[in-house]
Amino acid sequence: MKIRPAATGAALLAIAFTLSACGSSESTGTGAAQPAGEAGATGGKVGIDFPRADSDFWNSYNKYIPQMASELGVDLMPPTNSQNDVAKLVANVQALSGQGAKAIVMAPQDTGAIASTLQNLENKNIPVVSVDTRPDKGKVYMVVRADNKAYGTKACEFLGEKLGGKGKVVQLMGALSSINGRDRAEAFGACMKEKFPGITVFNEPTEWEGTKAASMLQTRLEQHPDIKGVYMHAGGVHLAPTIQVLKAKNLIAPPEDPKHVFVISNDGIPQEFEAIRKGEIDATLSQPADLYAKYALFYAKAAIDGKTFQPGPTDHDSTIIQLPNGLEDQLPAPLVTKENVDDQALWGNQVK
């Protein structure tokens, strides 16, 4: 990074922050912290709301938060949990702001219903970091998220190639009120239509609920016993019921067996890795729960300290993109199969 001789003290502070936290960059301003117009606060409390406790993925994320707060020196308030209820999220956020939060981390599951809360926080000058989900409206300081359209495309390509471009697959979708559910579903459908028009896709909106996923998958298999592929939007809630249904139908078999149903998931939780090792599913896309926790708190602290960011590549293998209502740091989410499932660099292999 080039430093101008006339750099002010505030600029030098921001550059030092970038070198230590985001890494150096030859391209000034791309994915790097920039000095705010005025000196920012020296610190403050970060409020955080956990979105739910009924998902193995989110439970892992929840456990990473205190660890990352300690490593980053974040003054973390006692977390709240909105239990997949936007009304509880609104109430929790009001309580956190009333208790002195200077920045708030949240993961709204209904991304269309949080706009007024975000507006209220903006009016109070409380920056918001949204994790995993991108609010449809309302200002956010940063969204920490993986490229969810890439999830759908990668899942489509995996199943399309395994099925040789022909056959039937079931897509167990999340809630379409969530940007994640929409992104994954739309990308999967568009990819299938363009690259594998010979594959029929049955779309099942599970609302991120395992019981609905099990019921829908069972019904489809009864109607179409020749289904050969399943794409689960979220292993954290879909994995166990999907395996249960496949076992009941005697469809757990080696890939070379004609009975085999190819299954790909999203999340990268340890349970998915174990299922891959056992041959119960074939692949997953690893959502980085550890990095979600780390960079959610990193950006919350940066917001309190008065830092700003610009679109561009970062030094942690991600890209910051511009949104209509803020910025989004798109973290990497690698494909995990039997070939690399034991890679210790994957967060799912580091969970105790």
Side-chain angles (χ1 to χ4, degrees):
M1 179 178 289
K2 296 179 180 178
I3 302 175
R4 294 186 178 92
T8 65
L12 289 173
L13 176 62
I15 291 169
F17 177 92
T18 301
L19 292 173
S20 64
C22 282
S24 60
S25 171
E26 293 298 321
S27 179
T28 303
T30 56
Q34 301 297 305
E38 299 176 1
T42 57
K45 294 181 179 181
V46 173
I48 184 165
D49 181 80
F50 294 154
R52 55 200 304 163
D54 60 349
S55 160
D56 292 323
F57 173 81
W58 283 113
N59 285 335
S60 295
Y61 164 83
N62 297 351
K63 290 178 182 178
Y64 274 118
I65 286 293
Q67 173 188 332
M68 297 301 178
S70 177
E71 291 180 6
L72 295 170
V74 172
D75 186 2
L76 189 67
M77 300 173 69
T80 60
N81 192 315
S82 51
Q83 300 175 342
N84 198 24
D85 184 332
V86 69
K88 288 183 180 178
L89 173 59
V90 171
N92 290 346
V93 167
Q94 289 176 342
L96 290 169
S97 61
Q99 293 163 13
K102 298 301 181 184
I104 288 180
V105 176
M106 65 171 71
Q109 302 295 279
D110 186 338
T111 55
I114 199 67
S116 60
T117 296
L118 293 176
Q119 182 62 60
N120 290 337
L121 291 172
E122 182 182 1
N123 293 341
K124 296 176 181 178
N125 294 316
I126 299 175
V128 172
V129 176
S130 181
V131 181
D132 184 55
T133 62
R134 183 180 72 227
D136 298 343
K137 295 181 180 179
K139 185 177 179 181
V140 288
Y141 177 83
M142 184 70 72
V143 175
V144 176
R145 185 172 178 251
D147 185 346
N148 279 249
K149 287 186 179 293
Y151 288 171
T153 300
K154 288 180 181 180
C156 158
E157 292 171 345
F158 180 85
L159 290 178
E161 291 169 5
K162 293 297 184 183
L163 271 62
K166 298 179 181 179
K168 300 174 182 178
V169 302
V170 174
Q171 179 180 200
L172 297 176
M173 302 185 292
L176 299 184
S177 60
S178 161
I179 187 67
N180 288 356
R182 294 199 300 273
D183 276 359
R184 297 173 197 184
E186 290 170 4
F188 185 80
C191 169
M192 280 293 181
K193 184 176 181 180
E194 177 185 354
K195 296 184 178 181
F196 307 105
I199 292 180
T200 300
V201 179
F202 299 110
N203 294 315
E204 305 293 351
T206 73
E207 304 298 324
W208 308 116
E209 294 181 19
T211 53
K212 286 186 178 181
S215 176
M216 291 172 172
L217 179 58
Q218 181 168 328
T219 299
R220 284 297 183 185
L221 285 169
E222 290 171 355
Q223 296 170 341
H224 302 273
D226 55 343
I227 284 170
K228 292 299 176 185
V230 177
Y231 170 37
M232 304 183 291
H233 275 200
V237 292
H238 293 155
L239 178 67
T242 295
I243 291 176
Q244 182 180 8
V245 170
L246 293 178
K247 283 183 176 179
K249 296 287 185 182
N250 196 29
L251 295 175
I252 301 292
E256 59 273 12
D257 190 312
K259 292 191 303 182
H260 183 78
V261 176
F262 288 94
V263 181
I264 184 170
S265 184
N266 289 153
D267 273 350
I269 58 176
Q271 292 87 340
E272 286 173 304
F273 289 3
E274 190 60 27
I276 291 173
R277 295 183 185 104
K278 291 179 178 179
E280 295 172 333
I281 70 171
D282 300 274
T284 187
L285 292 156
S286 177
Q287 284 199 105
D290 55 342
L291 298 184
Y292 278 8
K294 177 178 180 178
Y295 287 102
L297 296 177
F298 164 77
Y299 285 118
K301 187 173 186 294
I304 292 172
D305 289 343
K307 305 296 188 295
T308 60
F309 295 81
Q310 293 183 10
T314 72
D315 73 342
H316 49 272
D317 297 324
S318 68
T319 301
I320 294 177
I321 65 169
Q322 183 71 55
L323 304 174
N325 54 339
L327 296 171
E328 176 175 311
D329 189 354
Q330 295 190 325
L331 300 173
L335 177 68
V336 182
T337 65
K338 203 161 190 176
E339 284 67 38
N340 66 335
V341 69
D342 293 322
D343 185 349
Q344 291 304 303
L346 296 166
W347 74 267
N349 286 323
Q350 300 172 13
V351 177
K352 304 299 183 186

Short mmCIF file of all heavy atoms in Angstrom, two decimals, residues 127-173:
data_model
loop_
_atom_site.label_atom_id
_atom_site.label_comp_id
_atom_site.label_asym_id
_atom_site.label_seq_id
_atom_site.Cartn_x
_atom_site.Cartn_y
_atom_site.Cartn_z
N PRO A 127 -24.57 1.48 13.82
CA PRO A 127 -24.32 0.69 12.61
C PRO A 127 -24.71 -0.77 12.81
O PRO A 127 -24.66 -1.30 13.92
CB PRO A 127 -22.83 0.85 12.38
CG PRO A 127 -22.27 1.19 13.72
CD PRO A 127 -23.34 1.95 14.44
N VAL A 128 -25.08 -1.42 11.70
CA VAL A 128 -25.55 -2.81 11.74
C VAL A 128 -24.69 -3.68 10.82
O VAL A 128 -24.41 -3.31 9.67
CB VAL A 128 -27.02 -2.91 11.29
CG1 VAL A 128 -27.45 -4.36 11.14
CG2 VAL A 128 -27.92 -2.18 12.28
N VAL A 129 -24.28 -4.82 11.33
CA VAL A 129 -23.65 -5.86 10.53
C VAL A 129 -24.63 -7.02 10.45
O VAL A 129 -25.09 -7.52 11.48
CB VAL A 129 -22.31 -6.35 11.15
CG1 VAL A 129 -21.74 -7.50 10.33
CG2 VAL A 129 -21.32 -5.20 11.22
N SER A 130 -24.98 -7.41 9.22
CA SER A 130 -25.91 -8.52 9.02
C SER A 130 -25.13 -9.74 8.58
O SER A 130 -24.32 -9.67 7.65
CB SER A 130 -26.96 -8.15 7.97
OG SER A 130 -27.88 -9.21 7.79
N VAL A 131 -25.36 -10.86 9.26
CA VAL A 131 -24.60 -12.09 8.99
C VAL A 131 -25.45 -13.08 8.20
O VAL A 131 -26.60 -13.34 8.56
CB VAL A 131 -24.15 -12.74 10.32
CG1 VAL A 131 -23.35 -14.00 10.05
CG2 VAL A 131 -23.33 -11.76 11.14
N ASP A 132 -24.87 -13.61 7.14
CA ASP A 132 -25.47 -14.67 6.33
C ASP A 132 -26.64 -14.20 5.49
O ASP A 132 -26.86 -14.71 4.40
CB ASP A 132 -25.88 -15.85 7.22
CG ASP A 132 -26.42 -17.01 6.41
OD1 ASP A 132 -25.71 -17.48 5.51
OD2 ASP A 132 -27.55 -17.46 6.68
N THR A 133 -27.44 -13.26 5.98
CA THR A 133 -28.57 -12.77 5.21
C THR A 133 -28.40 -11.29 4.89
O THR A 133 -27.81 -10.54 5.67
CB THR A 133 -29.89 -12.97 5.97
OG1 THR A 133 -29.86 -12.24 7.19
CG2 THR A 133 -30.13 -14.44 6.27
N ARG A 134 -28.94 -10.89 3.74
CA ARG A 134 -28.84 -9.50 3.30
C ARG A 134 -30.22 -8.87 3.35
O ARG A 134 -31.13 -9.27 2.60
CB ARG A 134 -28.31 -9.46 1.86
CG ARG A 134 -28.09 -8.04 1.34
CD ARG A 134 -27.56 -8.07 -0.08
NE ARG A 134 -28.58 -8.47 -1.05
CZ ARG A 134 -28.38 -9.38 -2.01
NH1 ARG A 134 -27.25 -10.03 -2.09
NH2 ARG A 134 -29.36 -9.66 -2.86
N PRO A 135 -30.45 -7.91 4.25
CA PRO A 135 -31.76 -7.25 4.31
C PRO A 135 -32.14 -6.64 2.97
O PRO A 135 -31.30 -6.07 2.27
CB PRO A 135 -31.54 -6.18 5.38
CG PRO A 135 -30.44 -6.72 6.24
CD PRO A 135 -29.53 -7.43 5.29
N ASP A 136 -33.42 -6.78 2.62
CA ASP A 136 -33.89 -6.26 1.33
C ASP A 136 -33.80 -4.73 1.29
O ASP A 136 -33.47 -4.15 0.26
CB ASP A 136 -35.33 -6.70 1.09
CG ASP A 136 -35.46 -8.21 1.02
OD1 ASP A 136 -34.43 -8.89 0.83
OD2 ASP A 136 -36.59 -8.71 1.15
N LYS A 137 -34.15 -4.09 2.41
CA LYS A 137 -34.11 -2.64 2.51
C LYS A 137 -33.58 -2.25 3.87
O LYS A 137 -33.61 -3.04 4.81
CB LYS A 137 -35.50 -2.04 2.30
CG LYS A 137 -36.07 -2.25 0.92
CD LYS A 137 -37.45 -1.60 0.80
CE LYS A 137 -38.05 -1.79 -0.58
NZ LYS A 137 -39.40 -1.18 -0.69
N GLY A 138 -33.13 -1.01 3.98
CA GLY A 138 -32.58 -0.53 5.25
C GLY A 138 -31.07 -0.56 5.22
O GLY A 138 -30.45 -1.51 4.73
N LYS A 139 -30.44 0.48 5.75
CA LYS A 139 -29.00 0.62 5.67
C LYS A 139 -28.27 -0.40 6.55
O LYS A 139 -28.65 -0.64 7.68
CB LYS A 139 -28.60 2.03 6.11
CG LYS A 139 -27.12 2.32 5.95
CD LYS A 139 -26.79 3.76 6.33
CE LYS A 139 -25.31 4.06 6.19
NZ LYS A 139 -25.00 5.45 6.57
N VAL A 140 -27.23 -0.99 5.97
CA VAL A 140 -26.35 -1.87 6.73
C VAL A 140 -24.91 -1.38 6.53
O VAL A 140 -24.54 -0.92 5.46
CB VAL A 140 -26.46 -3.34 6.27
CG1 VAL A 140 -27.76 -3.95 6.73
CG2 VAL A 140 -26.30 -3.48 4.76
N TYR A 141 -24.13 -1.48 7.59
CA TYR A 141 -22.71 -1.12 7.50
C TYR A 141 -21.98 -2.16 6.66
O TYR A 141 -21.20 -1.82 5.77
CB TYR A 141 -22.11 -1.05 8.91
CG TYR A 141 -20.63 -0.76 8.95
CD1 TYR A 141 -20.15 0.55 8.85
CD2 TYR A 141 -19.71 -1.80 9.09
CE1 TYR A 141 -18.79 0.81 8.90
CE2 TYR A 141 -18.35 -1.54 9.14
CZ TYR A 141 -17.90 -0.23 9.05
OH TYR A 141 -16.53 0.01 9.09
N MET A 142 -22.24 -3.44 6.95
CA MET A 142 -21.64 -4.53 6.18
C MET A 142 -22.50 -5.77 6.31
O MET A 142 -23.03 -6.06 7.38
CB MET A 142 -20.22 -4.82 6.67
CG MET A 142 -19.47 -5.88 5.86
SD MET A 142 -19.01 -5.31 4.19
CE MET A 142 -17.68 -4.13 4.57
N VAL A 143 -22.64 -6.50 5.22
CA VAL A 143 -23.21 -7.84 5.24
C VAL A 143 -22.06 -8.83 5.15
O VAL A 143 -21.20 -8.72 4.26
CB VAL A 143 -24.18 -8.06 4.07
CG1 VAL A 143 -24.67 -9.51 4.04
CG2 VAL A 143 -25.37 -7.10 4.15
N VAL A 144 -21.99 -9.76 6.08
CA VAL A 144 -20.97 -10.81 6.06
C VAL A 144 -21.67 -12.09 5.59
O VAL A 144 -22.51 -12.64 6.30
CB VAL A 144 -20.34 -11.00 7.46
CG1 VAL A 144 -19.36 -12.16 7.45
CG2 VAL A 144 -19.65 -9.72 7.89
N ARG A 145 -21.31 -12.53 4.43
CA ARG A 145 -22.10 -13.55 3.77
C ARG A 145 -21.27 -14.24 2.69
O ARG A 145 -20.31 -13.68 2.20
CB ARG A 145 -23.32 -12.86 3.14
CG ARG A 145 -24.37 -13.71 2.50
CD ARG A 145 -25.56 -12.82 2.15
NE ARG A 145 -26.61 -13.58 1.48
CZ ARG A 145 -26.90 -13.44 0.19
NH1 ARG A 145 -26.23 -12.59 -0.56
NH2 ARG A 145 -27.87 -14.16 -0.35
N ALA A 146 -21.61 -15.46 2.35
CA ALA A 146 -21.02 -16.10 1.19
C ALA A 146 -21.89 -15.79 -0.03
O ALA A 146 -23.00 -15.29 0.09
CB ALA A 146 -20.89 -17.60 1.41
N ASP A 147 -21.37 -16.09 -1.20
CA ASP A 147 -22.11 -15.87 -2.45
C ASP A 147 -23.15 -16.97 -2.59
O ASP A 147 -22.86 -18.07 -3.04
CB ASP A 147 -21.14 -15.88 -3.63
CG ASP A 147 -21.83 -15.54 -4.95
OD1 ASP A 147 -23.08 -15.55 -4.99
OD2 ASP A 147 -21.12 -15.30 -5.94
N ASN A 148 -24.39 -16.68 -2.20
CA ASN A 148 -25.43 -17.70 -2.18
C ASN A 148 -25.90 -18.11 -3.57
O ASN A 148 -26.40 -19.22 -3.75
CB ASN A 148 -26.61 -17.22 -1.33
CG ASN A 148 -26.38 -17.43 0.15
OD1 ASN A 148 -27.02 -18.26 0.77
ND2 ASN A 148 -25.45 -16.68 0.73
N LYS A 149 -25.75 -17.24 -4.54
CA LYS A 149 -26.05 -17.65 -5.91
C LYS A 149 -25.04 -18.70 -6.38
O LYS A 149 -25.40 -19.64 -7.10
CB LYS A 149 -26.04 -16.44 -6.85
CG LYS A 149 -27.25 -15.53 -6.67
CD LYS A 149 -27.28 -14.44 -7.71
CE LYS A 149 -28.51 -13.54 -7.54
NZ LYS A 149 -29.77 -14.26 -7.84
N ALA A 150 -23.80 -18.56 -5.93
CA ALA A 150 -22.79 -19.57 -6.28
C ALA A 150 -23.14 -20.92 -5.66
O ALA A 150 -22.85 -21.97 -6.24
CB ALA A 150 -21.41 -19.11 -5.81
N TYR A 151 -23.76 -20.90 -4.46
CA TYR A 151 -24.21 -22.16 -3.86
C TYR A 151 -25.14 -22.90 -4.81
O TYR A 151 -24.98 -24.09 -5.07
CB TYR A 151 -25.00 -21.90 -2.57
CG TYR A 151 -24.22 -21.44 -1.37
CD1 TYR A 151 -24.88 -21.01 -0.24
CD2 TYR A 151 -22.83 -21.44 -1.36
CE1 TYR A 151 -24.20 -20.59 0.89
CE2 TYR A 151 -22.14 -21.03 -0.24
CZ TYR A 151 -22.82 -20.60 0.88
OH TYR A 151 -22.15 -20.18 1.99
N GLY A 152 -26.16 -22.20 -5.29
CA GLY A 152 -27.13 -22.82 -6.17
C GLY A 152 -26.52 -23.30 -7.46
O GLY A 152 -26.83 -24.40 -7.95
N THR A 153 -25.61 -22.50 -8.02
CA THR A 153 -24.96 -22.88 -9.28
C THR A 153 -24.06 -24.10 -9.09
O THR A 153 -24.08 -25.03 -9.90
CB THR A 153 -24.14 -21.70 -9.82
OG1 THR A 153 -25.03 -20.58 -10.06
CG2 THR A 153 -23.45 -22.07 -11.12
N LYS A 154 -23.28 -24.11 -8.03
CA LYS A 154 -22.38 -25.25 -7.78
C LYS A 154 -23.17 -26.53 -7.53
O LYS A 154 -22.79 -27.60 -7.98
CB LYS A 154 -21.46 -24.95 -6.59
CG LYS A 154 -20.39 -23.91 -6.86
CD LYS A 154 -19.53 -23.69 -5.61
CE LYS A 154 -18.46 -22.64 -5.85
NZ LYS A 154 -17.62 -22.42 -4.63
N ALA A 155 -24.27 -26.42 -6.79
CA ALA A 155 -25.11 -27.59 -6.53
C ALA A 155 -25.72 -28.11 -7.82
O ALA A 155 -25.76 -29.33 -8.06
CB ALA A 155 -26.21 -27.23 -5.54
N CYS A 156 -26.18 -27.21 -8.66
CA CYS A 156 -26.73 -27.59 -9.97
C CYS A 156 -25.68 -28.30 -10.82
O CYS A 156 -25.96 -29.37 -11.40
CB CYS A 156 -27.23 -26.34 -10.69
SG CYS A 156 -27.36 -26.49 -12.48
N GLU A 157 -24.49 -27.75 -10.89
CA GLU A 157 -23.44 -28.35 -11.71
C GLU A 157 -23.04 -29.72 -11.19
O GLU A 157 -22.79 -30.65 -11.97
CB GLU A 157 -22.23 -27.41 -11.77
CG GLU A 157 -22.52 -26.12 -12.54
CD GLU A 157 -21.41 -25.10 -12.43
OE1 GLU A 157 -20.54 -25.25 -11.54
OE2 GLU A 157 -21.41 -24.14 -13.23
N PHE A 158 -22.98 -29.85 -9.86
CA PHE A 158 -22.62 -31.14 -9.27
C PHE A 158 -23.65 -32.20 -9.63
O PHE A 158 -23.31 -33.28 -10.13
CB PHE A 158 -22.51 -31.00 -7.75
CG PHE A 158 -22.13 -32.27 -7.04
CD1 PHE A 158 -20.80 -32.64 -6.90
CD2 PHE A 158 -23.11 -33.12 -6.53
CE1 PHE A 158 -20.44 -33.82 -6.26
CE2 PHE A 158 -22.77 -34.30 -5.88
CZ PHE A 158 -21.43 -34.65 -5.75
N LEU A 159 -24.93 -31.92 -9.39
CA LEU A 159 -25.98 -32.89 -9.68
C LEU A 159 -26.12 -33.12 -11.18
O LEU A 159 -26.32 -34.26 -11.63
CB LEU A 159 -27.31 -32.44 -9.09
CG LEU A 159 -27.43 -32.48 -7.56
CD1 LEU A 159 -28.79 -31.96 -7.12
CD2 LEU A 159 -27.19 -33.87 -7.02
N GLY A 160 -26.04 -32.05 -11.95
CA GLY A 160 -26.18 -32.19 -13.39
C GLY A 160 -25.14 -33.11 -14.00
O GLY A 160 -25.45 -33.95 -14.87
N GLU A 161 -23.91 -32.98 -13.52
CA GLU A 161 -22.83 -33.82 -14.03
C GLU A 161 -22.98 -35.26 -13.55
O GLU A 161 -22.75 -36.21 -14.31
CB GLU A 161 -21.48 -33.23 -13.62
CG GLU A 161 -21.16 -31.92 -14.33
CD GLU A 161 -19.97 -31.21 -13.73
OE1 GLU A 161 -19.32 -31.77 -12.82
OE2 GLU A 161 -19.69 -30.07 -14.17
N LYS A 162 -23.35 -35.44 -12.28
CA LYS A 162 -23.53 -36.79 -11.73
C LYS A 162 -24.66 -37.54 -12.44
O LYS A 162 -24.58 -38.76 -12.63
CB LYS A 162 -23.80 -36.73 -10.23
CG LYS A 162 -22.63 -36.23 -9.39
CD LYS A 162 -21.43 -37.16 -9.47
CE LYS A 162 -20.31 -36.70 -8.57
NZ LYS A 162 -19.10 -37.56 -8.69
N LEU A 163 -25.71 -36.83 -12.83
CA LEU A 163 -26.85 -37.46 -13.49
C LEU A 163 -26.71 -37.51 -15.01
O LEU A 163 -27.60 -38.00 -15.70
CB LEU A 163 -28.15 -36.73 -13.12
CG LEU A 163 -28.89 -37.22 -11.86
CD1 LEU A 163 -28.02 -37.04 -10.62
CD2 LEU A 163 -30.19 -36.48 -11.69
N GLY A 164 -25.60 -36.99 -15.51
CA GLY A 164 -25.39 -37.00 -16.96
C GLY A 164 -26.38 -36.15 -17.72
O GLY A 164 -26.67 -36.40 -18.90
N GLY A 165 -26.92 -35.13 -17.04
CA GLY A 165 -27.82 -34.20 -17.70
C GLY A 165 -29.24 -34.70 -17.88
O GLY A 165 -30.04 -34.04 -18.56
N LYS A 166 -29.58 -35.84 -17.29
CA LYS A 166 -30.93 -36.39 -17.45
C LYS A 166 -31.46 -36.89 -16.11
O LYS A 166 -30.70 -37.30 -15.24
CB LYS A 166 -30.92 -37.55 -18.45
CG LYS A 166 -30.50 -37.15 -19.86
CD LYS A 166 -30.49 -38.36 -20.78
CE LYS A 166 -30.05 -37.98 -22.18
NZ LYS A 166 -30.02 -39.16 -23.10
N GLY A 167 -32.79 -36.87 -15.94
CA GLY A 167 -33.39 -37.41 -14.73
C GLY A 167 -34.21 -36.40 -13.96
O GLY A 167 -34.64 -35.37 -14.50
N LYS A 168 -34.42 -36.70 -12.68
CA LYS A 168 -35.26 -35.88 -11.81
C LYS A 168 -34.54 -35.59 -10.50
O LYS A 168 -33.88 -36.48 -9.95
CB LYS A 168 -36.58 -36.60 -11.51
CG LYS A 168 -37.42 -36.93 -12.74
CD LYS A 168 -38.63 -37.77 -12.38
CE LYS A 168 -39.44 -38.15 -13.62
NZ LYS A 168 -40.62 -39.00 -13.30
N VAL A 169 -34.69 -34.36 -10.01
CA VAL A 169 -34.08 -33.97 -8.74
C VAL A 169 -35.07 -33.18 -7.92
O VAL A 169 -35.99 -32.55 -8.45
CB VAL A 169 -32.78 -33.15 -8.94
CG1 VAL A 169 -31.76 -33.90 -9.76
CG2 VAL A 169 -33.08 -31.80 -9.57
N VAL A 170 -34.88 -33.23 -6.61
CA VAL A 170 -35.69 -32.44 -5.68
C VAL A 170 -34.83 -31.35 -5.08
O VAL A 170 -33.70 -31.60 -4.64
CB VAL A 170 -36.25 -33.32 -4.54
CG1 VAL A 170 -36.97 -32.46 -3.50
CG2 VAL A 170 -37.20 -34.37 -5.10
N GLN A 171 -35.35 -30.14 -5.06
CA GLN A 171 -34.68 -29.02 -4.40
C GLN A 171 -35.44 -28.70 -3.12
O GLN A 171 -36.56 -28.19 -3.17
CB GLN A 171 -34.62 -27.79 -5.30
CG GLN A 171 -33.93 -26.60 -4.63
CD GLN A 171 -33.85 -25.36 -5.50
OE1 GLN A 171 -33.03 -24.47 -5.24
NE2 GLN A 171 -34.68 -25.26 -6.52
N LEU A 172 -34.83 -29.02 -1.96
CA LEU A 172 -35.42 -28.69 -0.67
C LEU A 172 -35.01 -27.26 -0.33
O LEU A 172 -33.93 -27.00 0.19
CB LEU A 172 -34.96 -29.68 0.39
CG LEU A 172 -35.38 -31.14 0.15
CD1 LEU A 172 -34.77 -32.04 1.23
CD2 LEU A 172 -36.90 -31.27 0.13
N MET A 173 -35.89 -26.33 -0.63
CA MET A 173 -35.56 -24.92 -0.51
C MET A 173 -35.77 -24.41 0.91
O MET A 173 -36.58 -24.94 1.67
CB MET A 173 -36.43 -24.10 -1.46
CG MET A 173 -36.30 -24.50 -2.92
SD MET A 173 -37.22 -23.41 -4.04
CE MET A 173 -38.90 -23.80 -3.58
#
